[in-house]
Amino acid sequence: MTSSERPLLNRRLAEFGTTIFAEMSALALRTGSINLGQGFPDTDGPEEVREAAVRAIREGRGNQYPPGPGVPELRTAIAAHQQRRYGLSYDPDTEVLVTAGATEAIAATLLALLEPGDEVVALEPYYDSYAASIAMAGGTRVPVTLRPDAEAGVFRLDLDELRAAVTPRTRLLLVNTPHNPTGTVLTRTELTAIAELAVERDLLVVTDEVYEHLVYDTAEHIPLATLPGMRGRTVTIGSAGKTFSFTGWKVGWVTGTAELVTAVRSTKQFLTYVASGPFQYAVAEALRLPDSYFDEFRADMRSKRELLADGLEQAGFTVFRPAGTYFITTDIRPLGESDGFAFCRALPERAGVVAIPNAVFYDHREQGTSFVRFAFCKRTEVLTDAAQRLRKAFAH
Ligand SMILES: *Cc1c(COP(=O)(O)O)cnc(C)c1O
């Protein structure tokens, strides 16, 4: 076969194409719509943290390759954060690894731990990089679908389905709590069942906890690594992007046993090697911010959730008011609509708002057809305007 007949993009990644976010952001720009598609804040994080980054650059800290595992100040701050918030002890020198955002942490972890043909059980709908990273590692994804309970306004994990998804080929469970895009925060009962399953079947667990500080009302974030039998088999992934509103800085991290972290570092060293030098020093300071920062951030996001959720409800959507994250999943069927893709493509013209069809986060696309996701990490006046536009377009 000549090279012109052979597709350039390899078979493992051919199914992925361009992400929906590019299409929807271009649509937002072209139509002058409010972009509630992609989940990035429209205001930057704390002034003192920005200043810390500027200072680091000026003082020549991190302008050259930082150490492979991350700068010691940040590794120490990450370990202190896990200890202070959750009572988890990690050795900053051997059990913490700084990555180029959670995205690289996910890729490096899966590339490290999977052999071709290994199965990965993951909660569906899922963050779009999971499927691609599993594919790059040659793994096979086995989705367990979170089921909507519209009455209760939540998506729930069916523990029997989870159990049934595990086969002799399963290598690891890939968990995300608080969960993007559904806003589900796994309960202690659910996490205990996951932990028991992992121990019983001797599975590794990778847990994406980038929204750990965004939980509302009575919901509580419980790191999987705190459950019995889990510390030794769990890779926990965190990120500064969502917690401190610096998604462009790409500072993430992995915590786990020295053996797990060493394995992840083995692949990470050949991906980016290192990243975000000066920002690492700034994030070290951010992690040491007083509890009041985290409390105020959470309270602010909670009031934004109320603002947008109320607007969506008044417009006629079924709203799954999230217990965590900064996304609201809605069901469009009460509006007489059923196809989330068509709905999202028409929404800019109809209402001047951009959202994302949840179907893109599913392997079983039919399970997600009528769900649409809105991000609420935006300024209050922007959300007020968006809610107004949605009510005007749909409420009668
Ligand atoms: C945003 C996000 C990430 C990526 O985090 P970065 O630090 O920006 O790479 C990973 N997982 C989930 C669930 C996310 O929402």
Side-chain angles (χ1 to χ4, degrees), residues 189-229:
T189 308
E190 290 164 333
L191 292 164
T192 301
I194 293 171
E196 285 170 359
L197 181 62
V199 170
E200 180 191 315
R201 305 298 292 268
D202 195 21
L203 304 172
L204 298 171
V205 176
V206 178
T207 172
D208 177 345
E209 303 184 356
V210 302
Y211 295 102
E212 63 190 305
H213 290 288
L214 285 177
V215 291
Y216 310 114
D217 309 322
T218 56
E220 183 194 1
H221 172 66
I222 302 167
L224 250 175
T226 61
L227 281 121

mmCIF file of all heavy atoms in Angstrom, residues 189-229:
data_model
loop_
_atom_site.group_PDB
_atom_site.id
_atom_site.type_symbol
_atom_site.label_atom_id
_atom_site.label_comp_id
_atom_site.label_asym_id
_atom_site.label_seq_id
_atom_site.Cartn_x
_atom_site.Cartn_y
_atom_site.Cartn_z
ATOM 1 N N THR A 189 -20.877 5.023 50.483
ATOM 2 C CA THR A 189 -21.365 3.678 50.186
ATOM 3 C C THR A 189 -20.867 3.213 48.818
ATOM 4 O O THR A 189 -20.381 2.087 48.670
ATOM 5 C CB THR A 189 -22.911 3.672 50.195
ATOM 6 O OG1 THR A 189 -23.344 4.245 51.427
ATOM 7 C CG2 THR A 189 -23.472 2.279 50.026
ATOM 8 N N GLU A 190 -20.986 4.099 47.812
ATOM 9 C CA GLU A 190 -20.535 3.736 46.463
ATOM 10 C C GLU A 190 -19.017 3.539 46.422
ATOM 11 O O GLU A 190 -18.517 2.580 45.823
ATOM 12 C CB GLU A 190 -20.949 4.833 45.466
ATOM 13 C CG GLU A 190 -22.451 4.864 45.225
ATOM 14 C CD GLU A 190 -22.934 6.154 44.568
ATOM 15 O OE1 GLU A 190 -22.296 7.211 44.736
ATOM 16 O OE2 GLU A 190 -23.976 6.112 43.901
ATOM 17 N N LEU A 191 -18.303 4.430 47.076
ATOM 18 C CA LEU A 191 -16.838 4.329 47.065
ATOM 19 C C LEU A 191 -16.378 3.075 47.801
ATOM 20 O O LEU A 191 -15.418 2.421 47.391
ATOM 21 C CB LEU A 191 -16.228 5.582 47.702
ATOM 22 C CG LEU A 191 -16.431 6.862 46.873
ATOM 23 C CD1 LEU A 191 -16.174 8.106 47.714
ATOM 24 C CD2 LEU A 191 -15.523 6.854 45.648
ATOM 25 N N THR A 192 -17.091 2.719 48.867
ATOM 26 C CA THR A 192 -16.753 1.504 49.612
ATOM 27 C C THR A 192 -16.942 0.284 48.719
ATOM 28 O O THR A 192 -16.104 -0.632 48.705
ATOM 29 C CB THR A 192 -17.626 1.399 50.879
ATOM 30 O OG1 THR A 192 -17.379 2.561 51.678
ATOM 31 C CG2 THR A 192 -17.295 0.152 51.685
ATOM 32 N N ALA A 193 -18.016 0.284 47.954
ATOM 33 C CA ALA A 193 -18.262 -0.845 47.040
ATOM 34 C C ALA A 193 -17.178 -0.916 45.963
ATOM 35 O O ALA A 193 -16.710 -2.010 45.610
ATOM 36 C CB ALA A 193 -19.647 -0.697 46.408
ATOM 37 N N ILE A 194 -16.770 0.224 45.449
ATOM 38 C CA ILE A 194 -15.690 0.258 44.450
ATOM 39 C C ILE A 194 -14.403 -0.289 45.068
ATOM 40 O O ILE A 194 -13.704 -1.112 44.474
ATOM 41 C CB ILE A 194 -15.470 1.701 43.919
ATOM 42 C CG1 ILE A 194 -16.692 2.168 43.112
ATOM 43 C CG2 ILE A 194 -14.195 1.794 43.081
ATOM 44 C CD1 ILE A 194 -16.673 3.643 42.730
ATOM 45 N N ALA A 195 -14.129 0.149 46.282
ATOM 46 C CA ALA A 195 -12.904 -0.289 46.972
ATOM 47 C C ALA A 195 -12.935 -1.798 47.213
ATOM 48 O O ALA A 195 -11.941 -2.499 46.978
ATOM 49 C CB ALA A 195 -12.750 0.472 48.290
ATOM 50 N N GLU A 196 -14.069 -2.304 47.657
ATOM 51 C CA GLU A 196 -14.174 -3.747 47.932
ATOM 52 C C GLU A 196 -13.973 -4.558 46.651
ATOM 53 O O GLU A 196 -13.306 -5.588 46.657
ATOM 54 C CB GLU A 196 -15.530 -4.061 48.574
ATOM 55 C CG GLU A 196 -15.581 -3.623 50.033
ATOM 56 C CD GLU A 196 -16.979 -3.691 50.650
ATOM 57 O OE1 GLU A 196 -17.948 -4.073 49.937
ATOM 58 O OE2 GLU A 196 -17.095 -3.343 51.834
ATOM 59 N N LEU A 197 -14.550 -4.045 45.567
ATOM 60 C CA LEU A 197 -14.395 -4.723 44.283
ATOM 61 C C LEU A 197 -12.923 -4.731 43.847
ATOM 62 O O LEU A 197 -12.401 -5.755 43.385
ATOM 63 C CB LEU A 197 -15.262 -4.001 43.239
ATOM 64 C CG LEU A 197 -15.277 -4.554 41.818
ATOM 65 C CD1 LEU A 197 -15.824 -5.975 41.798
ATOM 66 C CD2 LEU A 197 -16.120 -3.644 40.909
ATOM 67 N N ALA A 198 -12.263 -3.583 44.012
ATOM 68 C CA ALA A 198 -10.850 -3.477 43.612
ATOM 69 C C ALA A 198 -9.983 -4.442 44.410
ATOM 70 O O ALA A 198 -9.101 -5.106 43.854
ATOM 71 C CB ALA A 198 -10.362 -2.038 43.798
ATOM 72 N N VAL A 199 -10.264 -4.536 45.695
ATOM 73 C CA VAL A 199 -9.468 -5.432 46.548
ATOM 74 C C VAL A 199 -9.755 -6.885 46.165
ATOM 75 O O VAL A 199 -8.836 -7.681 45.944
ATOM 76 C CB VAL A 199 -9.784 -5.174 48.044
ATOM 77 C CG1 VAL A 199 -9.153 -6.258 48.922
ATOM 78 C CG2 VAL A 199 -9.275 -3.795 48.458
ATOM 79 N N GLU A 200 -11.045 -7.219 46.041
ATOM 80 C CA GLU A 200 -11.449 -8.597 45.733
ATOM 81 C C GLU A 200 -10.859 -9.073 44.404
ATOM 82 O O GLU A 200 -10.378 -10.196 44.292
ATOM 83 C CB GLU A 200 -12.976 -8.625 45.686
ATOM 84 C CG GLU A 200 -13.599 -9.975 45.385
ATOM 85 C CD GLU A 200 -15.091 -9.796 45.099
ATOM 86 O OE1 GLU A 200 -15.762 -9.050 45.846
ATOM 87 O OE2 GLU A 200 -15.573 -10.391 44.108
ATOM 88 N N ARG A 201 -10.862 -8.192 43.391
ATOM 89 C CA ARG A 201 -10.391 -8.596 42.069
ATOM 90 C C ARG A 201 -8.958 -8.147 41.801
ATOM 91 O O ARG A 201 -8.459 -8.278 40.686
ATOM 92 C CB ARG A 201 -11.335 -8.034 40.985
ATOM 93 C CG ARG A 201 -12.801 -8.405 41.178
ATOM 94 C CD ARG A 201 -13.049 -9.924 41.115
ATOM 95 N NE ARG A 201 -12.838 -10.449 39.782
ATOM 96 C CZ ARG A 201 -13.785 -10.575 38.849
ATOM 97 N NH1 ARG A 201 -15.025 -10.214 39.139
ATOM 98 N NH2 ARG A 201 -13.502 -11.062 37.666
ATOM 99 N N ASP A 202 -8.322 -7.617 42.820
ATOM 100 C CA ASP A 202 -6.932 -7.160 42.736
ATOM 101 C C ASP A 202 -6.708 -6.200 41.563
ATOM 102 O O ASP A 202 -5.838 -6.402 40.711
ATOM 103 C CB ASP A 202 -5.981 -8.368 42.634
ATOM 104 C CG ASP A 202 -4.536 -7.959 42.906
ATOM 105 O OD1 ASP A 202 -4.329 -6.900 43.535
ATOM 106 O OD2 ASP A 202 -3.625 -8.687 42.463
ATOM 107 N N LEU A 203 -7.483 -5.118 41.548
ATOM 108 C CA LEU A 203 -7.405 -4.135 40.464
ATOM 109 C C LEU A 203 -6.696 -2.877 40.934
ATOM 110 O O LEU A 203 -6.764 -2.511 42.113
ATOM 111 C CB LEU A 203 -8.819 -3.747 40.002
ATOM 112 C CG LEU A 203 -9.721 -4.894 39.549
ATOM 113 C CD1 LEU A 203 -11.132 -4.370 39.309
ATOM 114 C CD2 LEU A 203 -9.161 -5.560 38.300
ATOM 115 N N LEU A 204 -6.038 -2.214 39.994
ATOM 116 C CA LEU A 204 -5.536 -0.871 40.261
ATOM 117 C C LEU A 204 -6.699 0.099 40.081
ATOM 118 O O LEU A 204 -7.647 -0.188 39.346
ATOM 119 C CB LEU A 204 -4.416 -0.520 39.279
ATOM 120 C CG LEU A 204 -3.163 -1.407 39.352
ATOM 121 C CD1 LEU A 204 -2.238 -1.089 38.176
ATOM 122 C CD2 LEU A 204 -2.442 -1.206 40.680
ATOM 123 N N VAL A 205 -6.593 1.256 40.737
ATOM 124 C CA VAL A 205 -7.624 2.279 40.590
ATOM 125 C C VAL A 205 -6.956 3.607 40.272
ATOM 126 O O VAL A 205 -5.968 3.982 40.907
ATOM 127 C CB VAL A 205 -8.469 2.415 41.876
ATOM 128 C CG1 VAL A 205 -9.484 3.547 41.740
ATOM 129 C CG2 VAL A 205 -9.176 1.110 42.195
ATOM 130 N N VAL A 206 -7.474 4.269 39.248
ATOM 131 C CA VAL A 206 -7.013 5.618 38.920
ATOM 132 C C VAL A 206 -8.200 6.534 39.171
ATOM 133 O O VAL A 206 -9.296 6.301 38.643
ATOM 134 C CB VAL A 206 -6.562 5.713 37.447
ATOM 135 C CG1 VAL A 206 -6.142 7.144 37.107
ATOM 136 C CG2 VAL A 206 -5.426 4.728 37.181
ATOM 137 N N THR A 207 -8.010 7.547 40.019
ATOM 138 C CA THR A 207 -9.141 8.388 40.376
ATOM 139 C C THR A 207 -8.830 9.855 40.083
ATOM 140 O O THR A 207 -7.836 10.405 40.554
ATOM 141 C CB THR A 207 -9.586 8.141 41.843
ATOM 142 O OG1 THR A 207 -10.564 9.095 42.204
ATOM 143 C CG2 THR A 207 -8.433 8.199 42.818
ATOM 144 N N ASP A 208 -9.672 10.440 39.249
ATOM 145 C CA ASP A 208 -9.534 11.822 38.803
ATOM 146 C C ASP A 208 -10.373 12.681 39.737
ATOM 147 O O ASP A 208 -11.605 12.623 39.713
ATOM 148 C CB ASP A 208 -10.031 11.901 37.344
ATOM 149 C CG ASP A 208 -10.019 13.317 36.775
ATOM 150 O OD1 ASP A 208 -9.903 14.285 37.543
ATOM 151 O OD2 ASP A 208 -10.145 13.435 35.536
ATOM 152 N N GLU A 209 -9.669 13.464 40.572
ATOM 153 C CA GLU A 209 -10.365 14.245 41.599
ATOM 154 C C GLU A 209 -10.124 15.741 41.414
ATOM 155 O O GLU A 209 -10.001 16.496 42.380
ATOM 156 C CB GLU A 209 -9.931 13.727 42.996
ATOM 157 C CG GLU A 209 -10.215 12.225 43.126
ATOM 158 C CD GLU A 209 -9.925 11.589 44.487
ATOM 159 O OE1 GLU A 209 -9.409 12.278 45.390
ATOM 160 O OE2 GLU A 209 -10.239 10.380 44.634
ATOM 161 N N VAL A 210 -10.077 16.188 40.150
ATOM 162 C CA VAL A 210 -9.746 17.599 39.884
ATOM 163 C C VAL A 210 -10.814 18.573 40.411
ATOM 164 O O VAL A 210 -10.520 19.750 40.593
ATOM 165 C CB VAL A 210 -9.476 17.896 38.380
ATOM 166 C CG1 VAL A 210 -8.355 17.034 37.843
ATOM 167 C CG2 VAL A 210 -10.722 17.759 37.543
ATOM 168 N N TYR A 211 -12.018 18.079 40.676
ATOM 169 C CA TYR A 211 -13.058 18.960 41.237
ATOM 170 C C TYR A 211 -13.229 18.748 42.740
ATOM 171 O O TYR A 211 -14.294 19.017 43.302
ATOM 172 C CB TYR A 211 -14.401 18.741 40.518
ATOM 173 C CG TYR A 211 -14.345 19.143 39.069
ATOM 174 C CD1 TYR A 211 -14.219 18.186 38.063
ATOM 175 C CD2 TYR A 211 -14.373 20.480 38.690
ATOM 176 C CE1 TYR A 211 -14.130 18.551 36.731
ATOM 177 C CE2 TYR A 211 -14.288 20.851 37.363
ATOM 178 C CZ TYR A 211 -14.170 19.885 36.383
ATOM 179 O OH TYR A 211 -14.073 20.255 35.071
ATOM 180 N N GLU A 212 -12.196 18.261 43.409
ATOM 181 C CA GLU A 212 -12.290 17.924 44.838
ATOM 182 C C GLU A 212 -12.792 19.076 45.702
ATOM 183 O O GLU A 212 -13.435 18.849 46.719
ATOM 184 C CB GLU A 212 -10.926 17.429 45.357
ATOM 185 C CG GLU A 212 -9.826 18.480 45.286
ATOM 186 C CD GLU A 212 -8.437 17.916 45.562
ATOM 187 O OE1 GLU A 212 -8.234 17.304 46.614
ATOM 188 O OE2 GLU A 212 -7.542 18.093 44.706
ATOM 189 N N HIS A 213 -12.500 20.317 45.299
ATOM 190 C CA HIS A 213 -12.918 21.455 46.128
ATOM 191 C C HIS A 213 -14.275 22.015 45.720
ATOM 192 O O HIS A 213 -14.756 22.959 46.330
ATOM 193 C CB HIS A 213 -11.860 22.558 46.087
ATOM 194 C CG HIS A 213 -10.615 22.169 46.822
ATOM 195 N ND1 HIS A 213 -10.569 22.097 48.200
ATOM 196 C CD2 HIS A 213 -9.399 21.777 46.381
ATOM 197 C CE1 HIS A 213 -9.353 21.694 48.578
ATOM 198 N NE2 HIS A 213 -8.633 21.484 47.492
ATOM 199 N N LEU A 214 -14.879 21.460 44.674
ATOM 200 C CA LEU A 214 -16.174 21.970 44.224
ATOM 201 C C LEU A 214 -17.281 20.973 44.536
ATOM 202 O O LEU A 214 -17.752 20.245 43.666
ATOM 203 C CB LEU A 214 -16.119 22.295 42.727
ATOM 204 C CG LEU A 214 -15.352 23.585 42.407
ATOM 205 C CD1 LEU A 214 -15.268 23.795 40.910
ATOM 206 C CD2 LEU A 214 -16.001 24.798 43.076
ATOM 207 N N VAL A 215 -17.662 20.920 45.815
ATOM 208 C CA VAL A 215 -18.804 20.095 46.227
ATOM 209 C C VAL A 215 -19.756 20.991 47.011
ATOM 210 O O VAL A 215 -19.317 21.901 47.720
ATOM 211 C CB VAL A 215 -18.376 18.868 47.069
ATOM 212 C CG1 VAL A 215 -17.621 17.872 46.209
ATOM 213 C CG2 VAL A 215 -17.558 19.273 48.265
ATOM 214 N N TYR A 216 -21.046 20.736 46.851
ATOM 215 C CA TYR A 216 -22.050 21.666 47.362
ATOM 216 C C TYR A 216 -22.997 20.984 48.353
ATOM 217 O O TYR A 216 -23.172 19.764 48.339
ATOM 218 C CB TYR A 216 -22.868 22.241 46.196
ATOM 219 C CG TYR A 216 -21.984 22.771 45.080
ATOM 220 C CD1 TYR A 216 -21.968 22.160 43.828
ATOM 221 C CD2 TYR A 216 -21.133 23.853 45.297
ATOM 222 C CE1 TYR A 216 -21.145 22.629 42.807
ATOM 223 C CE2 TYR A 216 -20.303 24.336 44.286
ATOM 224 C CZ TYR A 216 -20.310 23.720 43.045
ATOM 225 O OH TYR A 216 -19.486 24.173 42.059
ATOM 226 N N ASP A 217 -23.640 21.852 49.144
ATOM 227 C CA ASP A 217 -24.692 21.414 50.079
ATOM 228 C C ASP A 217 -24.160 20.316 50.993
ATOM 229 O O ASP A 217 -23.135 20.508 51.620
ATOM 230 C CB ASP A 217 -25.938 20.974 49.288
ATOM 231 C CG ASP A 217 -26.360 22.035 48.267
ATOM 232 O OD1 ASP A 217 -26.258 23.237 48.606
ATOM 233 O OD2 ASP A 217 -26.747 21.678 47.149
ATOM 234 N N THR A 218 -24.817 19.164 51.006
ATOM 235 C CA THR A 218 -24.398 18.120 51.949
ATOM 236 C C THR A 218 -23.386 17.150 51.335
ATOM 237 O O THR A 218 -22.933 16.232 52.012
ATOM 238 C CB THR A 218 -25.625 17.312 52.419
ATOM 239 O OG1 THR A 218 -26.274 16.788 51.254
ATOM 240 C CG2 THR A 218 -26.589 18.186 53.205
ATOM 241 N N ALA A 219 -23.043 17.344 50.064
ATOM 242 C CA ALA A 219 -22.104 16.422 49.422
ATOM 243 C C ALA A 219 -20.715 16.575 50.046
ATOM 244 O O ALA A 219 -20.324 17.653 50.473
ATOM 245 C CB ALA A 219 -22.033 16.692 47.923
ATOM 246 N N GLU A 220 -19.985 15.451 50.089
ATOM 247 C CA GLU A 220 -18.646 15.463 50.668
ATOM 248 C C GLU A 220 -17.720 14.763 49.684
ATOM 249 O O GLU A 220 -18.065 13.697 49.163
ATOM 250 C CB GLU A 220 -18.674 14.699 51.998
ATOM 251 C CG GLU A 220 -17.357 14.696 52.726
ATOM 252 C CD GLU A 220 -17.292 13.669 53.869
ATOM 253 O OE1 GLU A 220 -18.272 12.934 54.094
ATOM 254 O OE2 GLU A 220 -16.234 13.595 54.515
ATOM 255 N N HIS A 221 -16.563 15.370 49.432
ATOM 256 C CA HIS A 221 -15.587 14.677 48.579
ATOM 257 C C HIS A 221 -14.764 13.722 49.434
ATOM 258 O O HIS A 221 -14.096 14.139 50.373
ATOM 259 C CB HIS A 221 -14.661 15.653 47.873
ATOM 260 C CG HIS A 221 -13.554 14.945 47.149
ATOM 261 N ND1 HIS A 221 -13.799 14.123 46.061
ATOM 262 C CD2 HIS A 221 -12.219 14.855 47.392
ATOM 263 C CE1 HIS A 221 -12.657 13.589 45.654
ATOM 264 N NE2 HIS A 221 -11.684 14.015 46.448
ATOM 265 N N ILE A 222 -14.826 12.441 49.088
ATOM 266 C CA ILE A 222 -14.053 11.429 49.807
ATOM 267 C C ILE A 222 -13.043 10.826 48.833
ATOM 268 O O ILE A 222 -13.431 10.148 47.880
ATOM 269 C CB ILE A 222 -14.978 10.323 50.347
ATOM 270 C CG1 ILE A 222 -16.051 10.933 51.262
ATOM 271 C CG2 ILE A 222 -14.169 9.260 51.098
ATOM 272 C CD1 ILE A 222 -17.190 9.982 51.595
ATOM 273 N N PRO A 223 -11.752 11.065 49.033
ATOM 274 C CA PRO A 223 -10.766 10.459 48.126
ATOM 275 C C PRO A 223 -10.790 8.940 48.259
ATOM 276 O O PRO A 223 -10.820 8.411 49.374
ATOM 277 C CB PRO A 223 -9.428 11.023 48.612
ATOM 278 C CG PRO A 223 -9.771 12.234 49.411
ATOM 279 C CD PRO A 223 -11.118 11.951 50.027
ATOM 280 N N LEU A 224 -10.777 8.255 47.126
ATOM 281 C CA LEU A 224 -10.798 6.785 47.149
ATOM 282 C C LEU A 224 -9.622 6.214 47.932
ATOM 283 O O LEU A 224 -9.738 5.174 48.580
ATOM 284 C CB LEU A 224 -10.757 6.265 45.710
ATOM 285 C CG LEU A 224 -12.039 5.624 45.204
ATOM 286 C CD1 LEU A 224 -11.897 5.262 43.747
ATOM 287 C CD2 LEU A 224 -12.414 4.392 46.019
ATOM 288 N N ALA A 225 -8.493 6.923 47.884
ATOM 289 C CA ALA A 225 -7.285 6.409 48.549
ATOM 290 C C ALA A 225 -7.446 6.312 50.065
ATOM 291 O O ALA A 225 -6.663 5.633 50.725
ATOM 292 C CB ALA A 225 -6.081 7.286 48.204
ATOM 293 N N THR A 226 -8.478 7.002 50.615
ATOM 294 C CA THR A 226 -8.669 6.937 52.072
ATOM 295 C C THR A 226 -9.408 5.668 52.497
ATOM 296 O O THR A 226 -9.475 5.368 53.684
ATOM 297 C CB THR A 226 -9.484 8.151 52.600
ATOM 298 O OG1 THR A 226 -10.789 8.151 51.982
ATOM 299 C CG2 THR A 226 -8.777 9.465 52.322
ATOM 300 N N LEU A 227 -9.980 4.923 51.550
ATOM 301 C CA LEU A 227 -10.769 3.742 51.929
ATOM 302 C C LEU A 227 -9.864 2.542 52.196
ATOM 303 O O LEU A 227 -8.766 2.448 51.645
ATOM 304 C CB LEU A 227 -11.807 3.450 50.850
ATOM 305 C CG LEU A 227 -12.980 4.416 51.029
ATOM 306 C CD1 LEU A 227 -13.218 5.262 49.829
ATOM 307 C CD2 LEU A 227 -14.216 3.677 51.450
ATOM 308 N N PRO A 228 -10.332 1.611 53.042
ATOM 309 C CA PRO A 228 -9.501 0.465 53.423
ATOM 310 C C PRO A 228 -8.977 -0.301 52.202
ATOM 311 O O PRO A 228 -9.736 -0.576 51.273
ATOM 312 C CB PRO A 228 -10.460 -0.418 54.229
ATOM 313 C CG PRO A 228 -11.512 0.514 54.731
ATOM 314 C CD PRO A 228 -11.646 1.590 53.698
ATOM 315 N N GLY A 229 -7.695 -0.593 52.215
ATOM 316 C CA GLY A 229 -7.084 -1.387 51.153
ATOM 317 C C GLY A 229 -6.759 -0.614 49.896
ATOM 318 O O GLY A 229 -6.275 -1.189 48.912
#
